Amino acid sequence: LDIYNGNNLIANDVRAGTLVTVRVPTGNRTINVYADGQVPGTSRALLTKAGVQVNTTVIQTMAIGLNRGGRALRAEVFRNQFPVAPGAGNAWLVARNIAATGAVDVRVAGQVAFRGLQNAQQAVITRQPGAAALRVLGGSGRNTTLARNDNFTVRGGRVNIVYIWGSETADNVRLT
């Protein structure tokens, strides 16, 4: 995918599951997502997210949800505002659900840490650093494992963000 701020290219060749950092001028912006190699004026955007308010004091993240064929389906903007520090010996763990799912529960080291996380929502917890197996549970009763990561490491003194993406009906929910 190629991502534009209006008609200005800000990210080229973005692939599923990747994170790209860009600077966007402050103000009310329209972000357009195009198929790789397509450009404004000659092609139609796959997805447009209008009214994205960018300011200089908050870091924001846009997450783009794709279908199985790589077509952009939706875009969500998350504001990265967290308390100043997670506390001595701790870290922030953030879960963001951008998947085509119902509400999900996220287990961290066997315990439900995020309950009923809806699509386009995020939740934050404080956690001690270290290895922690992650499980995303969905389905009726939220007892079906949709995705897992047995090798996740929570890094101390920072924000650790986990994205839940993909589609429950296509059976391709992933953690990044």
Side-chain angles (χ1 to χ4, degrees), residues 12 67 105 150 157 160:
N12 191 28
N67 70 9
D105 290 347
D150 293 328
N160 298 263

Side-chain angles (χ1 to χ4, degrees), residues 91 125 140:
I125 61 168
S140 63

Side-chain angles (χ1 to χ4, degrees), residues 6-176:
N7 290 327
N8 298 314
L9 181 67
I10 57 174
N12 191 28
D13 294 332
V14 178
R15 304 278 180 230
T18 60
L19 178 66
V20 178
T21 302
V22 298
R23 291 191 181 271
V24 177
T26 60
N28 191 349
R29 302 290 170 208
T30 298
I31 305 299
N32 295 298
V33 179
Y34 288 86
D36 187 37
Q38 303 298 307
V39 295
T42 62
S43 305
R44 186 169 170 222
L46 299 173
L47 182 73
T48 296
K49 182 76 173 183
V52 176
Q53 192 60 43
V54 178
N55 72 49
T56 58
T57 59
V58 177
I59 297 172
Q60 294 169 280
T61 302
M62 175 176 277
I64 301 168
L66 308 174
N67 70 9
R68 187 175 277 211
R71 182 168 181 262
L73 298 176
R74 63 180 303 140
E76 298 299 332
V77 177
F78 297 96
R79 296 172 69 83
N80 297 329
Q81 290 181 298
F82 306 102
V84 176
N90 288 316
W92 297 119
L93 180 57
V94 180
R96 292 179 172 163
N97 183 0
I98 60 167
T101 65
V104 297
D105 290 347
V106 180
R107 289 184 179 264
V108 179
Q111 302 297 314
V112 175
F114 304 99
R115 188 175 304 279
L117 191 62
Q118 297 283 343
N119 182 281
Q121 285 185 331
Q122 73 175 5
V124 182
I125 61 168
T126 302
R127 175 156 179 86
Q128 289 186 332
L134 303 177
R135 301 274 186 286
V136 176
L137 304 173
S140 63
R142 292 196 288 272
N143 55 9
T144 302
T145 299
L146 302 178
R148 64 191 295 164
N149 181 339
D150 293 328
N151 300 309
F152 187 77
T153 300
V154 177
R155 295 184 175 191
R158 64 178 63 185
V159 178
N160 298 263
I161 301 174
V162 175
Y163 284 92
I164 303 159
W165 58 282
S167 168
E168 187 171 4
T169 57
D171 196 29
N172 66 353
V173 176
R174 301 286 184 264
L175 284 165
T176 299

